[in-house]
Tab-separated table of all heavy atoms in Angstrom:
chain	number	residue	atom	x	y	z
Q	35	ILE	N	-21.648	22.345	2.621
Q	35	ILE	CA	-20.765	21.179	2.530
Q	35	ILE	C	-20.081	21.029	1.188
Q	35	ILE	O	-18.998	20.740	1.005
Q	35	ILE	CB	-21.647	19.947	2.805
Q	35	ILE	CG1	-22.148	19.948	4.183
Q	35	ILE	CG2	-20.808	18.610	2.507
Q	35	ILE	CD1	-23.265	19.009	4.457
Q	36	THR	N	-20.769	21.477	0.028
Q	36	THR	CA	-20.168	21.539	-1.266
Q	36	THR	C	-19.052	22.427	-1.226
Q	36	THR	O	-18.056	22.034	-1.809
Q	36	THR	CB	-21.257	22.071	-2.239
Q	36	THR	OG1	-22.324	21.106	-2.349
Q	36	THR	CG2	-20.731	22.181	-3.552
Q	37	LEU	N	-19.292	23.693	-0.726
Q	37	LEU	CA	-17.982	24.569	-0.677
Q	37	LEU	C	-16.825	23.955	-0.002
Q	37	LEU	O	-15.739	24.087	-0.473
Q	37	LEU	CB	-18.511	25.874	-0.001
Q	37	LEU	CG	-17.444	26.948	0.086
Q	37	LEU	CD1	-16.992	27.476	-1.184
Q	37	LEU	CD2	-18.011	28.186	0.931
Q	38	CYS	N	-17.049	23.368	1.146
Q	38	CYS	CA	-15.929	22.691	1.911
Q	38	CYS	C	-15.289	21.614	1.089
Q	38	CYS	O	-14.035	21.571	1.030
Q	38	CYS	CB	-16.423	22.145	3.201
Q	38	CYS	SG	-16.996	23.381	4.357
Q	39	ALA	N	-16.037	20.757	0.458
Q	39	ALA	CA	-15.496	19.657	-0.335
Q	39	ALA	C	-14.767	20.219	-1.512
Q	39	ALA	O	-13.630	19.656	-1.835
Q	39	ALA	CB	-16.625	18.734	-0.724
Q	40	LYS	N	-15.337	21.154	-2.193
Q	40	LYS	CA	-14.564	21.669	-3.330
Q	40	LYS	C	-13.358	22.406	-2.918
Q	40	LYS	O	-12.379	22.258	-3.722
Q	40	LYS	CB	-15.576	22.628	-4.185
Q	40	LYS	CG	-16.606	21.931	-4.867
Q	40	LYS	CD	-17.339	22.813	-5.817
Q	40	LYS	CE	-18.349	22.118	-6.581
Q	40	LYS	NZ	-19.071	22.958	-7.508
Q	41	ASN	N	-13.354	23.031	-1.828
Q	41	ASN	CA	-12.185	23.734	-1.380
Q	41	ASN	C	-11.012	22.737	-1.157
Q	41	ASN	O	-9.759	23.169	-1.199
Q	41	ASN	CB	-12.432	24.616	-0.057
Q	41	ASN	CG	-13.046	25.905	-0.409
Q	41	ASN	OD1	-13.087	26.466	-1.525
Q	41	ASN	ND2	-13.634	26.536	0.575
Q	42	GLU	N	-11.320	21.534	-0.729
Q	42	GLU	CA	-10.333	20.552	-0.608
Q	42	GLU	C	-9.905	19.751	-1.834
Q	42	GLU	O	-9.117	18.862	-1.846
Q	42	GLU	CB	-10.789	19.472	0.484
Q	42	GLU	CG	-10.985	20.054	1.854
Q	42	GLU	CD	-9.658	20.569	2.468
Q	42	GLU	OE1	-8.588	19.907	2.210
Q	42	GLU	OE2	-9.705	21.678	3.033
Q	43	GLY	N	-10.593	20.185	-2.938
Q	43	GLY	CA	-10.238	19.705	-4.294
Q	43	GLY	C	-11.146	18.598	-4.790
Q	43	GLY	O	-10.808	17.934	-5.836
Q	44	PHE	N	-12.188	18.144	-3.980
Q	44	PHE	CA	-13.014	17.029	-4.430
Q	44	PHE	C	-13.982	17.436	-5.561
Q	44	PHE	O	-14.358	18.632	-5.620
Q	44	PHE	CB	-13.803	16.405	-3.270
Q	44	PHE	CG	-12.902	15.776	-2.217
Q	44	PHE	CD1	-12.482	16.457	-1.142
Q	44	PHE	CD2	-12.599	14.402	-2.476
Q	44	PHE	CE1	-11.669	15.793	-0.184
Q	44	PHE	CE2	-11.799	13.806	-1.531
Q	44	PHE	CZ	-11.358	14.549	-0.293
Q	45	ARG	N	-14.286	16.518	-6.427
Q	45	ARG	CA	-15.450	16.650	-7.270
Q	45	ARG	C	-16.708	16.383	-6.518
Q	45	ARG	O	-16.691	15.582	-5.625
Q	45	ARG	CB	-15.344	15.670	-8.471
Q	45	ARG	CG	-14.135	15.929	-9.286
Q	45	ARG	CD	-14.073	14.944	-10.588
Q	45	ARG	NE	-14.188	13.507	-10.117
Q	45	ARG	CZ	-15.104	12.613	-10.494
Q	45	ARG	NH1	-16.123	13.149	-11.359
Q	45	ARG	NH2	-15.165	11.396	-10.035
Q	46	VAL	N	-17.636	17.142	-6.713
Q	46	VAL	CA	-18.971	17.243	-5.954
Q	46	VAL	C	-20.167	17.129	-6.935
Q	46	VAL	O	-20.166	17.830	-7.929
Q	46	VAL	CB	-19.075	18.352	-4.951
Q	46	VAL	CG1	-20.335	18.408	-4.325
Q	46	VAL	CG2	-17.792	18.417	-4.159
Q	47	ASP	N	-21.033	16.279	-6.439
Q	47	ASP	CA	-22.522	16.313	-7.004
Q	47	ASP	C	-23.385	16.461	-5.845
Q	47	ASP	O	-23.102	15.990	-4.679
Q	47	ASP	CB	-22.763	15.168	-7.939
Q	47	ASP	CG	-24.015	15.349	-8.806
Q	47	ASP	OD1	-24.514	16.466	-8.819
Q	47	ASP	OD2	-24.239	14.390	-9.569
Q	48	THR	N	-24.593	16.863	-6.103
Q	48	THR	CA	-25.530	17.126	-4.906
Q	48	THR	C	-26.922	16.432	-5.387
Q	48	THR	O	-27.298	16.260	-6.553
Q	48	THR	CB	-25.775	18.411	-4.549
Q	48	THR	OG1	-26.276	19.202	-5.693
Q	48	THR	CG2	-24.446	19.072	-4.141
Q	49	ALA	N	-27.695	16.085	-4.358
Q	49	ALA	CA	-29.049	15.648	-4.504
Q	49	ALA	C	-29.911	16.249	-3.223
Q	49	ALA	O	-29.391	16.389	-2.308
Q	49	ALA	CB	-29.115	14.114	-4.510
Q	50	ALA	N	-31.049	16.542	-3.711
Q	50	ALA	CA	-31.984	17.163	-2.650
Q	50	ALA	C	-33.024	16.125	-2.054
Q	50	ALA	O	-33.841	16.499	-1.134
Q	50	ALA	CB	-32.637	18.407	-3.185
Q	51	SER	N	-32.987	15.005	-2.610
Q	51	SER	CA	-34.009	13.972	-2.107
Q	51	SER	C	-33.306	12.534	-2.273
Q	51	SER	O	-32.361	12.392	-2.849
Q	51	SER	CB	-35.250	13.921	-2.991
Q	51	SER	OG	-34.952	13.459	-4.376
Q	52	GLY	N	-33.929	11.651	-1.473
Q	52	GLY	CA	-33.603	10.295	-1.516
Q	52	GLY	C	-33.656	9.569	-2.982
Q	52	GLY	O	-32.724	8.998	-3.320
Q	53	THR	N	-34.692	9.861	-3.716
Q	53	THR	CA	-34.825	9.403	-4.985
Q	53	THR	C	-33.841	9.788	-5.875
Q	53	THR	O	-33.179	9.095	-6.613
Q	53	THR	CB	-36.339	9.735	-5.494
Q	53	THR	OG1	-37.192	9.278	-4.614
Q	53	THR	CG2	-36.535	9.193	-6.778
Q	54	GLU	N	-33.586	11.207	-5.823
Q	54	GLU	CA	-32.429	11.719	-6.631
Q	54	GLU	C	-31.099	11.187	-6.307
Q	54	GLU	O	-30.335	10.901	-7.216
Q	54	GLU	CB	-32.453	13.352	-6.601
Q	54	GLU	CG	-31.411	14.064	-7.417
Q	54	GLU	CD	-31.508	15.493	-7.147
Q	54	GLU	OE1	-32.175	15.945	-6.249
Q	54	GLU	OE2	-30.829	16.203	-8.011
Q	55	ALA	N	-30.816	10.993	-5.109
Q	55	ALA	CA	-29.624	10.378	-4.559
Q	55	ALA	C	-29.396	9.021	-5.065
Q	55	ALA	O	-28.215	8.725	-5.557
Q	55	ALA	CB	-29.563	10.485	-3.022
Q	56	LEU	N	-30.421	8.177	-4.989
Q	56	LEU	CA	-30.346	6.837	-5.589
Q	56	LEU	C	-29.972	6.755	-7.118
Q	56	LEU	O	-29.175	6.075	-7.490
Q	56	LEU	CB	-31.571	5.997	-5.262
Q	56	LEU	CG	-31.731	5.596	-3.791
Q	56	LEU	CD1	-33.053	5.129	-3.578
Q	56	LEU	CD2	-30.719	4.786	-3.363
Q	57	LYS	N	-30.747	7.655	-7.854
Q	57	LYS	CA	-30.395	7.730	-9.280
Q	57	LYS	C	-29.011	8.196	-9.587
Q	57	LYS	O	-28.239	7.573	-10.410
Q	57	LYS	CB	-31.421	8.710	-9.998
Q	57	LYS	CG	-32.813	8.179	-10.077
Q	57	LYS	CD	-33.740	9.190	-10.675
Q	57	LYS	CE	-35.109	8.723	-10.670
Q	57	LYS	NZ	-36.133	9.766	-11.081
Q	58	LYS	N	-28.491	9.239	-8.825
Q	58	LYS	CA	-27.187	9.649	-9.073
Q	58	LYS	C	-26.084	8.709	-8.584
Q	58	LYS	O	-25.078	8.492	-9.290
Q	58	LYS	CB	-26.958	11.029	-8.377
Q	58	LYS	CG	-27.708	12.167	-9.090
Q	58	LYS	CD	-27.430	13.513	-8.624
Q	58	LYS	CE	-28.099	14.576	-9.399
Q	58	LYS	NZ	-27.549	15.841	-8.999
Q	59	ALA	N	-26.338	8.036	-7.394
Q	59	ALA	CA	-25.412	6.995	-6.907
Q	59	ALA	C	-25.201	5.919	-8.006
Q	59	ALA	O	-24.126	5.437	-8.060
Q	59	ALA	CB	-25.824	6.565	-5.663
Q	60	ASP	N	-26.343	5.416	-8.508
Q	60	ASP	CA	-26.377	4.341	-9.502
Q	60	ASP	C	-25.603	4.772	-10.785
Q	60	ASP	O	-24.874	3.991	-11.246
Q	60	ASP	CB	-27.863	3.952	-9.800
Q	60	ASP	CG	-27.883	2.668	-10.683
Q	60	ASP	OD1	-27.195	1.717	-10.408
Q	60	ASP	OD2	-28.656	2.750	-11.666
Q	61	ALA	N	-25.849	5.933	-11.250
Q	61	ALA	CA	-25.240	6.507	-12.515
Q	61	ALA	C	-23.767	6.874	-12.447
Q	61	ALA	O	-23.021	6.558	-13.381
Q	61	ALA	CB	-25.944	7.706	-12.920
Q	62	GLN	N	-23.404	7.264	-11.150
Q	62	GLN	CA	-21.996	7.807	-11.070
Q	62	GLN	C	-21.040	7.021	-10.068
Q	62	GLN	O	-19.866	7.231	-10.147
Q	62	GLN	CB	-22.146	9.286	-10.579
Q	62	GLN	CG	-22.881	10.224	-11.473
Q	62	GLN	CD	-22.996	11.506	-10.893
Q	62	GLN	OE1	-22.395	11.870	-9.845
Q	62	GLN	NE2	-23.718	12.390	-11.535
Q	63	THR	N	-21.471	6.215	-9.349
Q	63	THR	CA	-20.755	5.466	-8.282
Q	63	THR	C	-19.924	6.448	-7.555
Q	63	THR	O	-18.596	6.349	-7.740
Q	63	THR	CB	-19.962	4.270	-9.022
Q	63	THR	OG1	-20.936	3.627	-9.765
Q	63	THR	CG2	-19.479	3.371	-7.866
Q	64	PRO	N	-20.331	7.185	-6.708
Q	64	PRO	CA	-19.516	8.220	-5.983
Q	64	PRO	C	-18.609	7.357	-4.969
Q	64	PRO	O	-18.934	6.273	-4.523
Q	64	PRO	CB	-20.452	9.063	-5.159
Q	64	PRO	CG	-21.788	8.326	-5.117
Q	64	PRO	CD	-21.776	7.416	-6.307
Q	65	ASP	N	-17.540	8.126	-4.644
Q	65	ASP	CA	-16.529	7.488	-3.657
Q	65	ASP	C	-16.958	7.719	-2.220
Q	65	ASP	O	-16.597	6.886	-1.302
Q	65	ASP	CB	-15.263	8.188	-3.848
Q	65	ASP	CG	-14.570	7.722	-5.224
Q	65	ASP	OD1	-14.215	6.626	-5.450
Q	65	ASP	OD2	-14.643	8.717	-6.023
Q	66	LEU	N	-17.784	8.692	-2.022
Q	66	LEU	CA	-18.267	9.063	-0.615
Q	66	LEU	C	-19.647	9.588	-0.764
Q	66	LEU	O	-19.922	10.518	-1.754
Q	66	LEU	CB	-17.392	10.005	0.135
Q	66	LEU	CG	-17.893	10.602	1.403
Q	66	LEU	CD1	-17.872	9.476	2.474
Q	66	LEU	CD2	-16.931	11.694	1.795
Q	67	ILE	N	-20.575	9.270	0.111
Q	67	ILE	CA	-22.001	9.863	0.024
Q	67	ILE	C	-22.189	10.453	1.403
Q	67	ILE	O	-22.115	9.651	2.392
Q	67	ILE	CB	-23.138	8.909	-0.281
Q	67	ILE	CG1	-22.818	8.214	-1.680
Q	67	ILE	CG2	-24.508	9.400	-0.209
Q	67	ILE	CD1	-23.820	7.175	-1.934
Q	68	LEU	N	-22.413	11.759	1.509
Q	68	LEU	CA	-22.816	12.307	2.713
Q	68	LEU	C	-24.278	12.469	2.633
Q	68	LEU	O	-24.916	13.275	1.906
Q	68	LEU	CB	-22.146	13.793	2.868
Q	68	LEU	CG	-20.611	13.713	2.983
Q	68	LEU	CD1	-20.047	15.224	2.968
Q	68	LEU	CD2	-20.150	12.987	4.186
Q	69	LEU	N	-25.114	11.709	3.674
Q	69	LEU	CA	-26.416	11.484	3.466
Q	69	LEU	C	-27.145	12.105	4.812
Q	69	LEU	O	-26.802	11.646	5.916
Q	69	LEU	CB	-26.668	10.022	3.398
Q	69	LEU	CG	-28.100	9.500	3.284
Q	69	LEU	CD1	-28.807	10.130	2.182
Q	69	LEU	CD2	-28.087	8.070	3.237
Side-chain angles (χ1 to χ4, degrees):
I35 298 170
T36 296
L37 180 63
C38 291
K40 284 185 175 183
N41 281 344
E42 293 299 322
F44 292 97
R45 295 181 305 123
V46 175
D47 197 0
T48 62
S51 70
T53 303
E54 183 182 8
L56 290 170
K57 287 178 185 174
K58 289 188 173 190
D60 186 48
Q62 301 174 2
T63 314
D65 297 286
L66 174 69
I67 299 174
L68 297 175
L69 177 60

